[in-house]
Amino acid sequence: MPNLLSRGLFNLFFGARRKPFASLPGPPPGLLGNLGDFLGAQPWDVCARYARAHGPVTVAWLGPSPALVLNDPAVIHEVMETRRLEFEKGNIGDQIRHSVTDDTPFIADQGEDWSRKHGMDPLAQPWTPAWRAAQVEPMRAAISESVEALLQEPSLDLALALRKLTFDVFCVATVGEKLPTSAYEDFILLAAAADARIQAKLPLRFVSVPKGFAAAKERFYGLFADRIRAARQAPAPHRVDLMSWTLREMPGFDDQVHAHLLGGFFFGGVFSSSTTLTGAVHQLQKYPAVEERLARESAALMQGPLDFERLGGASWGEAVAYEALRLLPAVRVMMRRSPLAPAPLAGVTLPPGTTLMISNQHLHRDPTHWVNPEVFDPERWLNGGAARNPLGSGHFFPFGRGPRACVAGDFAMVFLRTALATLLARVRVHVDSTEPFEEGFFFGVVLPKGVTGRLVARQRSTDSSPLGAHPPSVETA
């Protein structure tokens, strides 16, 4: 907390700015406002602490500028759904546009720009659910291949190993095959360039791109352009990857835009999906009864080809996936800014361009809503639990809320459930420590740090007991 002198100086210089926010609680600002709270701490932890200490809507000061930290489901609903056209997504577009291209709807302006780009996104078409359902078996095969290679490694940084596995599986889903390792290296370089801009403390014009950025970008998106050209010259009606499906359903789609969107798909999901998968396997080893039950269910699924219908009937896998997304969501802070005119919100009038910080860290663990919120307990999602807290609702929004929630959220769920089932049927993911891992930050996504371990082949049958007969799912110690 700022000392008395610092607080007095802030009030002397900026006291008039505080008066319109007198009805809102918040930490007392010092000379630099509340910026000190965010130094050395992750922003989602600060947002959660504000919710516990000050309530669901908190005013904080970023220097002399006010910011609202939102942990109130009703106000978040207003900002992200009913009044979403008023609140832009902050400066994320300026930070990552050089890496992802301007064609992606993720960084589009609200209103007409977003509607146009969303309307041509292959992930938002009437046929998208059919494409998504067709990916289960190809993804299972790709994951199995990657697992066999990882089994040979004596020690793994699981976050990085599962990131590469996720990238390879996304390749299969988008273009029907794994891409060369060089494509992954170019992808990471482009992501690192965007991450440097996201985390920069300097104006973006002073943040230089890494050496080789332009060539890496040309190569990465050029791979997709090359495959689109080849696919047009030799159509394959049997192929189920996103590129082939798009060419069949949208034959007049511009090839360059198509290539940009295929490449952008990786930025939108590889980091978040692999982070969630890492968090899930970490928790599964902490709760071996949960892991054993999932292993039995997964082994039964793998008795034949895995399709969307059979995967959808695996209720324990769904519960584990939901619980991983609740307890360890990959994206925990979403930024918005108020319009370029004064706007009412939460009982106050916001100055133009006010920063809004929306976090799910507290709401996903709110003890007034969840029973034993700090415990990894997939049981909470059974017997109507998923219907009571659907994706995108007030206390469960790992992919965001409203029309601009992640367009690939449903695909991410299919990937996560397929990956968990394929992994658990074949291996036990041994984690060296089940203590809480350090949470870093990369490309706007939580990055698990120091999660090391190895994959161990299962030596015994995991489906020797009926699926209904299982020990309690949650340990008490």
Side-chain angles (χ1 to χ4, degrees):
M1 178 180 292
N3 61 36
L4 189 61
L5 175 60
S6 182
R7 290 158 59 185
L9 288 173
F10 185 91
N11 285 330
L12 175 65
F13 292 112
F14 308 116
R17 298 188 183 188
R18 294 189 68 187
K19 289 181 180 178
F21 297 91
S23 63
L24 295 179
L31 185 58
L32 299 179
N34 303 110
L35 285 172
D37 290 351
F38 293 88
L39 297 178
Q42 296 295 4
W44 51 86
D45 289 329
V46 178
C47 291
R49 177 159 57 85
Y50 282 177
R52 295 190 298 268
H54 305 291
V57 179
T58 304
V59 61
W61 293 84
L62 308 179
S65 302
L68 261 56
V69 179
L70 305 182
N71 287 283
D72 184 320
V75 178
I76 294 171
H77 175 83
E78 193 174 350
V79 170
M80 301 187 82
E81 300 191 48
T82 59
R83 294 174 60 195
R84 66 180 179 84
L85 295 179
E86 299 178 41
F87 299 96
E88 289 290 351
K89 293 189 73 171
N91 60 352
I92 188 68
D94 295 332
Q95 293 166 332
I96 72 173
R97 181 174 282 109
H98 288 343
S99 296
V100 303
T101 81
D102 194 42
D103 288 320
T104 174
F106 176 73
I107 59 174
D109 294 333
Q110 294 282 26
E112 183 178 344
D113 186 44
W114 177 82
S115 296
R116 178 179 60 82
K117 292 176 180 176
H118 180 74
M120 66 182 183
D121 190 342
L123 295 175
Q125 303 304 317
W127 48 264
T128 304
W131 161 78
R132 189 166 57 239
Q135 300 315 302
V136 174
E137 177 57 22
M139 288 197 296
R140 183 207 61 77
I143 294 165
S144 295
E145 182 180 57
S146 295
V147 166
E148 293 305 315
L150 292 174
L151 274 168
Q152 309 308 311
E153 299 293 332
S155 181
L156 297 165
D157 181 321
L158 288 170
L160 298 184
L162 294 176
R163 176 193 288 178
K164 177 59 165 61
L165 177 150
T166 302
F167 177 87
D168 287 341
V169 175
F170 275 42
C171 291
V172 171
T174 53
V175 297
E177 61 180 322
K178 293 184 179 181
L179 294 175
T181 300
S182 58
Y184 179 71
E185 293 168 350
D186 286 340
F187 166 67
I188 293 297
L189 188 147
L190 297 180
D195 179 68
R197 295 168 67 85
I198 291 171
Q199 301 203 46
K201 303 298 188 290
L202 299 172
L204 293 183
R205 65 180 179 273
F206 298 120
V207 182
S208 60
V209 297
K211 183 179 179 179
F213 174 85
K217 183 175 182 179
E218 183 176 356
R219 286 193 302 267
F220 183 69
Y221 289 102
L223 276 173
F224 298 104
D226 290 344
R227 278 158 175 74
I228 290 169
R229 283 193 293 271
R232 282 197 182 278
Q233 294 170 3
H238 63 282
R239 290 175 62 101
V240 298
D241 55 83
L242 184 61
M243 175 191 69
S244 299
W245 213 300
T246 303
L247 289 173
R248 288 195 297 270
E249 296 287 344
M250 303 166 66
F253 197 31
D254 182 85
D255 285 354
Q256 182 180 41
V257 175
H258 189 180
H260 287 171
L261 291 178
L262 290 176
F265 180 63
F266 290 79
F267 293 99
V270 166
F271 301 114
S272 55
S273 295
S274 60
T275 286
T276 304
L277 186 56
T278 303
V281 298
H282 180 270
Q283 290 295 306
L284 286 171
Q285 184 155 337
K286 186 176 180 180
Y287 297 101
V290 176
E291 180 185 24
E292 183 63 22
R293 183 174 175 181
L294 182 58
R296 286 196 307 274
E297 181 185 78
S298 300
L301 282 175
M302 298 301 155
Q303 295 303 309
L306 185 61
D307 59 28
F308 186 72
E309 183 177 0
R310 293 183 65 229
L311 182 71
S315 59
W316 191 242
E318 179 184 63
V320 169
Y322 277 147
E323 186 68 345
L325 288 165
R326 181 193 70 84
L327 197 61
L328 298 166
V331 179
R332 301 190 194 172
V333 177
M334 290 148 266
M335 307 295 289
R336 293 291 188 272
R337 64 170 180 259
S338 65
L340 298 179
L345 187 73
V348 299
T349 298
L350 304 179
T354 298
T355 295
L356 307 177
M357 302 176 68
I358 299 167
S359 176
N360 54 27
Q361 175 79 353
H362 170 71
L363 291 168
H364 280 203
R365 303 177 181 217
D366 184 354
T368 67
H369 184 84
W370 304 98
V371 177
N372 296 324
E374 300 296 330
V375 174
F376 187 82
D377 181 10
E379 290 276 1
R380 72 176 81 247
W381 298 100
L382 303 181
N383 302 315
R388 290 190 294 272
N389 291 283
L391 283 167
S393 56
H395 285 82
F396 185 51
F397 51 106
F399 302 122
R401 293 188 63 178
R404 291 203 67 166
C406 177
V407 69
D410 288 338
F411 172 81
M413 279 297 303
V414 175
F415 163 77
L416 182 58
R417 294 180 63 185
T418 303
L420 286 171
T422 307
L423 282 167
L424 269 292
R426 177 71 178 87
V427 302
R428 183 171 185 264
V429 183
H430 171 79
V431 180
D432 293 333
S433 173
T434 58
E435 292 299 310
F437 50 76
E438 181 184 352
E439 294 179 336
F441 190 60
F442 184 79
F443 199 77
V445 172
V446 175
L447 173 64
K449 301 179 72 174
V451 184
T452 59
R454 64 187 187 278
L455 304 191
V456 181
R458 292 188 180 273
Q459 299 300 321
R460 60 182 178 83
S461 173
T462 56
D463 61 341
S464 57
S465 60
L467 290 180
H470 52 81
S473 64
V474 178
E475 292 182 327
T476 58

